[in-house]
Amino acid sequence: MTKPSESPVPDARGRSDGRPALRGLARDLLTLEWNPLPRMSRPRWLAWLPHAVVGYAAVVSCALTVMQLEDHYEVSGGPVVALALLTGASIVLGMFRPLAGWWLGLVTAALIAWTIHDRVGQGQSWPWTPAGAFTFAPLILLAALRVPPRVTVGVVGVSVLCSGLAEAVFRPPGSQSLVAGVALLFGFVGVLGYALRATRLARGKLVEQESLTAEERARRTLLEERSRIARELHDVVAHHMSVISIQAQVAPHLVENPSEELKENLAGIRENALEALTELRRVLGVLRSEQPDDPQAPQHPQPTLAELDSLVDNVRVAGLHVTTEIAGIRRPLTPGVELTAYRIVQEALSNCLRHAPGSRVEVGIAYGPRDLHLCVANSAPTRRAAPSPGAGHGLLGMRERAGMLGGELAAGPLPDGGYEVTAVLPMDPRVSPGGSASETMRDS
């Protein structure tokens, strides 16, 4: 029962499938929207070259139209000037409204064919003048550069169809047929425009993809650096939580006859510290398991500024002339500030090794009453730097570390060709503006 009722459905649908497509194509051909000719992206000084070429083609088309009508078909006076101006205007219009320019060119070609119809001699071409198809071809090219492929097929098809119908119905006796040559010319121009359009779109997609890739790489680098900072901070926090737990356990033995309330409070402090320490170790294990082979994963006590001398010695062995200067009273800082300061100096020196081989580097550390000032400056390199493999964390990681504590970091070239990195870190991140340090610790 189902088969007889289903058989006519595909036939009816098949007969109606072509009609919406044709209506859509006709609607697209009549869409005279603003679609200016794009400029060249590279080189920039030739950005307007396509527009200049089209303008030159419009002037040449005007001149050719005048020469063809006057010399070959003996048409003179106002009609020649009007038809030549229409020919050039259609090309200029095609730079901004490609389909509108094409329609104007098609109407102009029809007017030219009607004007020379009674003046065609033996062996002369019609409906196109010898140069008429070549002055019309830029309109097809301008359309093909900016409309979808199916619209380009419609433009070429309508142009060839109109030529064929005019020649079949109104062809003057003894005139020469150009339908085959016109079809080949228009088809070639349409394919050329389609290829150029596809190349331009592909290049645009490639540039867009490169931009997205660069953004994704920067985002991934930022996340990797934040993960690295989080791993290091977890070690610092875990150490302090362990100290709190031990102090809470020992505190009752340091007081004679401690009250039960004091014992309970200290026991609660120790219990909470142990629970927090357990959670910290669990999270730290997850962070380390994400990159178990990462040599930068902290499996040992984190460095401090006390190890600055050994860091500088290693850099000197690598070939840089490094001098250090410490101002103010050198004193131990909170673990987060110590670690951040060490990492910033370490990264700045690594950048000097990679990008400024043979340069002289000055490392300055100033202990202020509230802030720690860092400065790493290098002179111009004495030899060319080797290509750096891949994208490092560099300035991104240093800014993340400084911002984590509520500090600031600046970097930029020096007038003598060198480079300088400066940072200001608060001694007590808990009172830094914006609450960056506290938020980071809480998020960690």
Side-chain angles (χ1 to χ4, degrees), residues 41-42 201-220:
S41 57
R42 297 178 183 176
L201 293 178
R203 187 181 295 113
K205 289 290 185 181
L206 179 61
V207 172
E208 180 182 355
Q209 187 62 38
E210 289 177 350
S211 177
L212 292 176
T213 302
E215 293 178 2
E216 183 63 28
R217 186 184 299 114
R219 188 180 300 111
R220 185 172 61 251

Side-chain angles (χ1 to χ4, degrees), residues 35 81 127 142 220 385 407 418 439:
N35 190 2
V81 177
L142 289 173
R220 185 172 61 251
E439 290 176 2

Side-chain angles (χ1 to χ4, degrees), residues 237-239 241-242 272-282:
V237 176
H239 167 73
M241 295 302 295
S242 298
N272 290 331
L274 290 176
E275 290 180 0
L277 183 59
T278 302
E279 292 297 326
L280 282 171
R281 287 173 176 170
R282 183 180 296 112

Side-chain angles (χ1 to χ4, degrees), residues 308 311-325 344-365 374-383 414 416-421:
L308 180 63
L311 173 63
V312 171
D313 291 339
N314 291 335
V315 176
R316 287 171 180 160
V317 172
L320 285 182
H321 181 79
V322 184
T323 59
T324 60
E325 182 176 352
I344 289 177
V345 175
Q346 182 185 44
E347 183 62 35
L349 291 176
S350 298
N351 287 340
C352 294
L353 284 173
R354 285 193 296 266
H355 306 297
S359 63
R360 301 177 64 90
V361 184
E362 296 181 359
V363 178
I365 301 177
L374 306 174
C375 179
V376 180
N378 63 273
S379 62
T382 59
R383 59 182 182 271
L414 297 175
D416 61 352
Y419 202 84
E420 183 181 55
V421 175

Side-chain angles (χ1 to χ4, degrees), residues 210-253:
E210 289 177 350
S211 177
L212 292 176
T213 302
E215 293 178 2
E216 183 63 28
R217 186 184 299 114
R219 188 180 300 111
R220 185 172 61 251
T221 300
L222 177 62
L223 293 177
E224 290 175 356
E225 186 64 16
R226 286 180 175 177
S227 177
R228 178 185 172 190
I229 294 172
R231 292 196 303 265
E232 295 174 348
L233 284 179
H234 273 84
D235 278 354
V236 174
V237 176
H239 167 73
H240 285 284
M241 295 302 295
S242 298
V243 173
I244 292 174
S245 174
I246 294 173
Q247 289 177 338
Q249 184 179 10
V250 174
H253 302 284

Side-chain angles (χ1 to χ4, degrees), residues 79-427:
V80 175
V81 177
L83 293 173
L85 291 177
L86 284 175
T87 301
S90 63
I91 296 178
V92 174
L93 179 61
M95 279 197 295
F96 308 101
R97 299 182 185 270
L99 294 180
W102 170 71
W103 280 114
L104 180 59
L106 202 60
V107 171
T108 303
L111 292 175
I112 293 176
W114 177 75
T115 302
I116 66 175
H117 183 273
D118 296 333
R119 299 173 181 269
V120 177
Q122 186 68 29
Q124 289 185 314
S125 60
W126 191 90
W128 299 97
T129 63
F134 293 96
T135 60
F136 186 79
L139 296 172
I140 297 179
L141 179 62
L142 289 173
L145 286 173
R146 285 167 287 166
V147 299
R150 67 189 190 95
V151 180
T152 300
V153 173
V155 167
V156 175
V158 171
S159 303
V160 175
L161 180 62
C162 290
S163 301
L165 289 176
E167 187 171 315
V169 179
F170 304 105
R171 179 181 179 184
S175 62
Q176 182 182 359
S177 175
L178 295 178
V179 173
V182 167
L184 287 176
L185 175 63
F186 291 174
F188 171 77
V189 172
V191 172
L192 176 62
Y194 165 75
L196 293 176
R197 177 179 180 270
T199 302
R200 176 171 56 85
L201 293 178
R203 187 181 295 113
K205 289 290 185 181
L206 179 61
V207 172
E208 180 182 355
Q209 187 62 38
E210 289 177 350
S211 177
L212 292 176
T213 302
E215 293 178 2
E216 183 63 28
R217 186 184 299 114
R219 188 180 300 111
R220 185 172 61 251
T221 300
L222 177 62
L223 293 177
E224 290 175 356
E225 186 64 16
R226 286 180 175 177
S227 177
R228 178 185 172 190
I229 294 172
R231 292 196 303 265
E232 295 174 348
L233 284 179
H234 273 84
D235 278 354
V236 174
V237 176
H239 167 73
H240 285 284
M241 295 302 295
S242 298
V243 173
I244 292 174
S245 174
I246 294 173
Q247 289 177 338
Q249 184 179 10
V250 174
H253 302 284
L254 303 178
V255 180
E256 294 183 1
N257 301 321
S259 64
E260 292 298 326
E261 184 179 358
L262 176 60
K263 291 182 179 180
E264 291 179 0
N265 288 335
L266 291 175
I269 292 174
R270 183 173 183 275
E271 183 179 354
N272 290 331
L274 290 176
E275 290 180 0
L277 183 59
T278 302
E279 292 297 326
L280 282 171
R281 287 173 176 170
R282 183 180 296 112
V283 175
L284 180 59
V286 172
L287 290 173
R288 282 174 172 166
S289 65
E290 291 177 353
Q291 295 177 324
D293 299 329
D294 187 0
Q296 295 176 340
Q299 304 291 343
H300 51 78
Q302 299 304 314
T304 64
L305 289 177
E307 303 176 34
L308 180 63
D309 293 338
S310 60
L311 173 63
V312 171
D313 291 339
N314 291 335
V315 176
R316 287 171 180 160
V317 172
L320 285 182
H321 181 79
V322 184
T323 59
T324 60
E325 182 176 352
I326 298 178
I329 301 175
R330 190 168 183 173
R331 57 191 184 275
L333 308 174
T334 59
V337 176
E338 290 273 1
L339 176 61
T340 298
Y342 181 89
R343 292 301 189 196
I344 289 177
V345 175
Q346 182 185 44
E347 183 62 35
L349 291 176
S350 298
N351 287 340
C352 294
L353 284 173
R354 285 193 296 266
H355 306 297
S359 63
R360 301 177 64 90
V361 184
E362 296 181 359
V363 178
I365 301 177
Y367 290 83
R370 295 184 178 180
D371 298 319
L372 177 68
H373 297 260
L374 306 174
C375 179
V376 180
N378 63 273
S379 62
T382 59
R383 59 182 182 271
R384 187 175 181 180
S388 179
H393 297 174
L395 294 176
L396 180 64
M398 289 191 283
R399 286 197 176 95
E400 278 292 306
R401 291 180 179 276
M404 175 191 67
L405 299 178
E408 298 179 353
L409 185 138
L414 297 175
D416 61 352
Y419 202 84
E420 183 181 55
V421 175
T422 60
V424 179
L425 305 178
M427 291 289 191

